[in-house]
Structures are given as C-alpha cells and as structure tokens.
Amino acid sequence: MKKLFRRIYGKKLGDLAFEKTKTLIDNFPKKSEKYQEIFSQQDVVLITYGDTLQSSKILSPLQTLYNFANKYFKDIFSTIHLLPFFPFSSDDGFSVKDFYAVNPDVGSWEDIDKLGADFKLMFDFVLNHISAQSDWFKHYLADEKGFENLAIEVDSTIDLSKVTRPRSLPLLTEFKKKSGKTVNVWTTFSADQVDINYTSVEIMIKLLDVLLYYVKYGATILRLDAIAYLWKKIGTDCIHLPETHDVVKVFRKVLDEVAPHVIILTETNVPHQENISYFGNGKDEAQMVYNFSLPPLLFYSFVKEDSTVFSNWAKTLTLESDTNTFFNFTASHDGIGVRPLEGILSQNEIDELISVVNTNGGAVSYKRNPDGSDSPYELNITYVDAYLRKKSDNDIMHAKRFLASQTIQLVLPGVPAVYIHSILGSHNWIEGVKETQRARTINRQQLDIDDIALQLKNPKSFRSIIFFNYIELIKIRRKQPAFHPNAEFQIMEIDPHVFAIVRSCNEQKILAVTNISSEPVYVSIPIENVSSTAYDLISGKSLSMDSLKLQPYESVWLVI
C-alpha cells in the first residue's frame, strides 16, 4: 500500500497518505468471521432505488421495499443493490450532498440495517463527484481548512479537447468563492456535480473514510460509480489513467485488510477491453466489473434474430482468476450503453438499434467528441419495451421475447443482476420524461405498491406474466452448480436463430439453448457421448437431443 501511495503522490506525501490510511484501518472494527468462496450460483442481485416502491400507508419507501422483498424475494435474490439513497440535489441521487446520511424521504440507516439482516447489500460509492450544493463544496468555496483542494480548478483558456466526455454539457463550470475570486472547476457530468480532486491527500483520506463507513453499515458490494474518470491530467484523455487504477488498488488493499468479504465492482460504461482492465492482475483491483457490452449486444441479437455476433463476443468471457467475475445485467437505472459496441457493430448497425428504440417509444442520449461533434452515448428505454418488436404483438408474445433475453442473461458466466423494473415488467414512463425533460427518467418510475400488488394477483396481467416466470427461472438457476459464476463454459454454434452455451462443473453439465427468433426452430445437438434424450430443467420434460423443436423465444436448460 505504501508503494502505491508513493507512486500516486511521491515519497513525502505518499508516506503521509499511508500513515493516515493506517490510522483508519487500525480504528476500524475487525470481524472474526472467515469468508470462504467469494461467489456462488446462488448470487443474484436485485437493482433498485430505495424509493421505487411507494406506499400510501405510514411507511418509508425503504420499509415498503423491505416488506415487498420479504414477501417475494427471499431465496430469490441474495443481494439488493440500493441505488444512491443519500441526500441529493440532482441526477436522481448521483449528485450527493452528504455521503454519510440517508435521505429522510427514503428512510433511515435503521431501515437499511433491517434490510441487511435478510439480504446482502450493495451500495453506490459515488466517488468521482459531489453535489455543488453539498456542505463539502460550500466549505471549499469558503476556503475552509481541509477543503481548500476539494475541487479541480482549471484555467478556462487551456485546451481540454482531448478529454473523453460522457456528456455533451460543458466540462468546466464557473463558481464564485467567498473571497470574491471566480474559479472554473471540473464538472464531468453536470454543473451540479463537481469532480473531486484526488491529487489532495486530505481529500483522498476523506473518501477512504466514506468507503469504510459504508462497510460499517453493511455493504458487501461497493459499486465504484464513474470510476474511469477519477484522475485528471491536462493533456491526456483523462480516462483510465494509471493513477485511477492505483486508487482502485488502494481501495482493494484497504478492504482486503479490514473486510475481505466486501467486493469492489467497477462501473465503466466503455468498450469491453477497457472495461475488464479494472480486474488488474486478477487479485489487486475489482473482483467484479459491469458487463457493459451485454445489454446492447443481446438487444441487437433479438432485433436481427441472429446470434452470430453475440456468440462470438460471448466466447471472450474468459477470466484468468477464479476470484473475478462479471456483473451481468441487461437493464439498470441508466440506458443501454452504445460505447460498449465500439469495434463490434458498425455505425449502420447501431443506427438500426436507434431506429428500433425510437419506434418503441424510447430516446437517445449523446456525448461530446473531441472535435466538438456529438455521438450516441446510450439508448433510453426500458429493457422490457426495447423488446416490443411489433405494435400488433400481444402481451404473451412480448413477454416471451423479453423473458428469452433474460434467460440468456441468467446462463452466462458471471453474477446476474436484475433491475426491479425488468422483473416487474415496467413499460416506458413517458409522462415522467415529459415532467423532468430528462431521457433517463423513462425507466425510473416510482410505483404504488398497492397497484403493483393488484396487478401481480391477476395472472393475465403483463406484470404478473413477467414477474412469476422470471422468479421461477431464478429459482431453478440458483440450484444448479453448473451455473456457478466461474463454472466452465463453451459457446455452441448450432443455428444462427439460437444461442447455445454449455456450462459445466465437476458435478453437473447443462446445455442452455434459446430460440431468439419469431419462428419455430428445429436443431440437432452435436455433443458426443451424451444420451439421445435430456431432462429440461425449465419444462420438467425429457427432450430429444437429435431433433429438438424450439417454439419462438423458447428456452431449454438440458442436463446432459
């Protein structure tokens, strides 16, 4: 750790950072528990805002979530990812005003502690920026001791065109300090989200204290939000810089010392090879990375009804360390990333996806390029409605198509993560977009729990069809050793209209096949030394391996 700090800050300041960090570690309450295997096939994560579910009763949203999760999600989801639940000023929680507090509109630390008694918890560590309305930033504007270097001041005449931008908004924002001095500070994501200056040892220690605070309050996975942009160096693209990786390594070393059970998950909405760089050497950075290429590539496969590109990409999901794995998601609070398609799909193919999204009621967000032009950054649509191919589709066909995509997500190497609006079958929230004028609002609707309960009681409702079929798939998945996140896998190219993968461990081998097309498909399974029939875990039937008929969007999980 000392070597890392010296590499980041030089010898004198590096030694100071080490001593201050050592004090934090020494003062942190140690646990005597011994943690065995870091991942298992029972790991499935639910992604939700703390206030997605609302109750008319005198209950906080977190209490409402707790009641709902205990009724439906016990033994389904191992972990609940609570998206930022802190006091905030914008960006639905990602402009944090106080890292140490729970937004009273959402609940309390007691509510989170209660939820943590029944589920493992994942917290967002929003470490790249802080709200311009936070006390920390107010202290900075007042030049108060310990906060003088919180923000990154930049001369507005300096050429910053090389900087990689995830937005089309201005990179610098002007503020007036208490002294009367006007400064331009770095704001990667918005004028209300001020980037934090990690070149300051004092600021670095403050953020390490926040990290340990979240561990103390029960976080078992820490999502490092927007980590790729953490370190800034004028004259570079300011993304994935060596110092950024070193900071992640420091976090990992601190956690390995005080809480080895806590997993670091890096959030980097970038092309695949850049993304997996945050595994480091397999043991010194993140244990998990978001599998950002998965959502758009899977969507593309269903649009084309052809698994070829997706299958070729899936073959690359190999890892050298069994202590690392992928965080497999298809939907989240954000849109479907476009950058992860770079080098995989052509612009014409991406344009085709954009056309489908527009047809199905979605929108597109853009980023600013070094030449001043804008290009697509993400597709804003619920993942459910991205799979609405034809207006004439009935709910059954729409549900089958969407569930087929989720079935593929569940069988890939890695830990599956499910957005609450996916398992609840939520449609685009167009009214919300009109209200906020922000495209991302389309899949962030708050839901009335009584209305949800009524829809789930109706077996013919779209929500009910999605919800209970999805839950059944997860139940089956969690019992299969072959679906361990790091179990061996082999992609089989049987037919362009199907996606096929063999997952295996010492105890079990499963062939998972999904028809991604709108027509029935007949396939023969070319696997040697297996029986001519196999048991399908999903239907509970024995099926022929020589002539397997798959209905449109049908999946089978064959024990072979």
Side-chain angles (χ1 to χ4, degrees):
M1 191 186 300
K2 183 181 284 188
K3 287 180 181 178
L4 281 171
F5 276 127
R6 285 181 173 182
R7 194 157 69 199
I8 296 170
Y9 296 113
K11 186 177 185 302
K12 183 177 179 181
L13 289 177
D15 288 350
L16 175 65
F18 173 75
E19 291 303 325
K20 287 180 176 290
T21 302
K22 188 173 181 299
T23 300
L24 289 177
I25 291 172
D26 291 342
N27 291 335
F28 191 82
K30 304 293 191 299
K31 291 187 177 180
S32 59
E33 303 163 68
K34 290 186 177 179
Y35 297 91
Q36 303 298 322
E37 190 178 37
I38 191 167
F39 302 117
S40 87
Q41 65 272 17
Q42 295 187 5
D43 292 326
V44 185
V45 179
L46 174 74
I47 306 169
T48 182
Y49 278 104
D51 60 356
T52 295
L53 301 179
Q54 301 275 325
S55 174
S56 57
K57 302 180 178 65
I58 308 176
L59 293 173
S60 72
L62 280 173
Q63 290 168 340
T64 303
L65 172 63
Y66 173 82
N67 291 340
F68 188 82
N70 266 272
K71 180 175 181 178
Y72 292 109
F73 294 153
K74 291 293 287 289
D75 302 319
I76 305 298
F77 292 103
S78 59
T79 305
I80 295 179
H81 172 199
L82 290 172
L83 288 156
F85 48 82
F86 320 107
F88 70 97
S89 54
S90 63
D91 199 16
D92 290 339
F94 284 90
S95 185
V96 179
K97 293 171 66 176
D98 185 347
F99 290 120
Y100 295 98
V102 176
N103 182 355
D105 293 336
V106 175
S108 65
W109 279 117
E110 288 73 21
D111 294 332
I112 290 174
D113 189 55
K114 187 175 180 181
L115 192 63
D118 294 311
F119 300 89
K120 291 188 285 187
L121 297 178
M122 174 172 155
F123 291 176
D124 277 272
F125 186 18
V126 188
L127 73 170
N128 179 75
H129 47 263
I130 192 167
S131 168
Q133 300 177 46
S134 66
D135 284 343
W136 280 19
F137 189 63
K138 291 174 183 175
H139 296 330
Y140 156 78
L141 291 176
D143 287 317
E144 293 185 18
K145 185 172 175 55
F147 294 91
E148 312 97 311
N149 299 312
L150 175 70
I152 303 166
E153 298 179 12
V154 183
D155 183 338
S156 61
T157 64
I158 290 177
D159 181 10
L160 298 174
S161 61
K162 289 185 179 180
V163 176
T164 299
R165 301 304 321 282
R167 299 287 184 273
S168 56
L169 298 168
L171 180 60
L172 302 180
T173 302
E174 185 178 285
F175 290 93
K176 193 168 187 177
K177 300 184 103 174
K178 190 175 181 180
S179 64
K181 179 183 178 182
T182 298
V183 292
N184 289 281
V185 303
W186 205 294
T187 51
T188 296
F189 292 92
S190 78
D192 187 47
Q193 292 165 294
V194 177
D195 286 55
I196 293 171
N197 180 18
Y198 281 83
T199 65
S200 164
V201 170
E202 283 184 298
I203 299 304
M204 173 67 154
I205 298 304
K206 289 183 190 299
L207 271 297
L208 276 170
D209 187 69
V210 172
L211 175 106
L212 293 177
Y213 189 81
Y214 294 161
V215 173
K216 188 172 118 178
Y217 271 92
T220 56
I221 303 176
L222 284 167
R223 174 186 184 271
L224 305 189
D225 177 65
I227 184 65
Y229 306 98
L230 186 81
W231 200 273
K232 284 78 176 176
K233 187 180 291 184
I234 304 297
T236 73
D237 58 7
C238 296
I239 186 171
H240 313 311
L241 294 183
E243 293 88 349
T244 296
H245 285 279
D246 282 344
V247 170
V248 176
K249 290 173 183 175
V250 167
F251 293 157
R252 176 69 183 270
K253 285 194 174 295
V254 169
L255 292 174
D256 282 349
E257 182 66 28
V258 302
H261 64 291
V262 175
I263 294 168
I264 288 177
L265 168 63
T266 49
E267 187 262 339
T268 51
N269 190 358
V270 294
H272 189 68
Q273 289 304 313
E274 297 175 39
N275 194 23
I276 62 176
S277 70
Y278 287 86
F279 282 135
N281 66 14
K283 295 182 179 179
D284 64 346
E285 290 192 50
Q287 292 97 330
M288 284 200 293
V289 302
Y290 272 81
N291 207 350
F292 268 109
S293 296
L294 170 58
L297 274 182
L298 189 59
F299 175 39
Y300 172 79
S301 300
F302 276 79
V303 168
K304 303 297 288 185
E305 299 193 5
D306 188 329
S307 67
T308 305
V309 174
F310 186 81
S311 293
N312 287 335
W313 168 80
K315 291 175 185 175
T316 69
L317 298 179
T318 55
L319 297 173
E320 295 181 5
S321 171
D322 60 5
T323 60
N324 297 134
T325 200
F326 294 101
F327 188 79
N328 290 331
F329 75 112
T330 53
S332 73
H333 61 292
D334 288 338
I336 303 169
V338 175
R339 279 213 66 204
L341 295 174
E342 292 176 13
I344 302 176
L345 298 186
S346 68
Q347 188 56 54
N348 285 340
E349 290 167 324
I350 292 172
D351 288 342
E352 186 174 357
L353 294 185
I354 290 172
S355 177
V356 172
V357 166
N358 287 331
T359 299
N360 291 347
V364 181
S365 294
Y366 291 84
K367 71 179 183 72
R368 181 64 46 84
N369 300 314
D371 63 1
S373 65
D374 290 341
S375 59
Y377 180 73
E378 68 178 16
L379 312 176
N380 298 112
I381 191 169
T382 66
Y383 211 70
V384 170
D385 277 356
Y387 285 78
L388 178 61
R389 289 294 305 283
K390 298 175 182 177
K391 295 290 185 181
S392 59
D393 274 356
N394 58 30
D395 280 355
I396 298 296
M397 186 56 70
H398 186 182
K400 281 184 177 180
R401 185 181 295 115
F402 171 71
L403 286 168
S405 74
Q406 303 306 284
T407 304
I408 292 174
Q409 175 194 353
L410 292 176
V411 301
L412 292 174
V415 172
V418 182
Y419 189 39
I420 194 166
H421 281 297
S422 287
I423 198 166
L424 287 174
S426 293
H427 293 300
N428 296 329
W429 190 31
I430 304 299
E431 296 79 7
V433 175
K434 290 177 181 176
E435 182 181 327
T436 66
Q437 295 298 303
R438 286 184 284 113
R440 282 181 165 180
T441 304
I442 201 165
N443 67 345
R444 296 181 180 181
Q445 184 176 8
Q446 293 179 342
L447 304 171
D448 179 80
I449 194 65
D450 294 329
D451 181 51
I452 294 296
L454 282 175
Q455 292 184 61
L456 294 182
K457 284 180 181 178
N458 177 7
K460 294 182 180 181
S461 77
F462 187 74
R463 285 200 194 277
S464 182
I465 294 168
I466 295 289
F467 188 80
F468 290 107
N469 279 291
Y470 209 141
I471 279 181
E472 192 58 34
L473 287 169
I474 295 173
K475 280 182 180 178
I476 297 169
R477 182 201 187 279
R478 293 188 73 194
K479 295 176 182 177
Q480 315 311 319
F483 288 146
H484 185 286
N486 297 101
E488 294 180 3
F489 75 95
Q490 178 187 359
I491 304 300
M492 300 195 67
E493 297 178 75
I494 299 172
D495 185 294
H497 294 306
V498 305
F499 174 75
I501 182 172
V502 176
R503 299 296 309 279
S504 57
C505 65
N506 294 332
E507 307 168 59
Q508 188 184 54
K509 182 177 285 189
I510 294 175
L511 169 63
V513 186
T514 298
N515 180 1
I516 65 170
S517 77
S518 55
E519 301 294 333
V521 175
Y522 292 86
V523 294
S524 177
I525 309 299
I527 300 180
E528 296 181 357
N529 303 318
V530 298
S531 171
S532 61
T533 61
Y535 180 73
D536 174 28
L537 294 165
I538 295 176
S539 67
K541 298 176 182 178
S542 290
L543 303 176
S544 169
M545 298 277 283
D546 296 326
S547 182
L548 179 63
K549 180 181 180 181
L550 295 171
Q551 296 295 340
Y553 308 113
E554 182 180 4
S555 297
V556 294
W557 291 348
L558 302 172
V559 181
I560 58 176

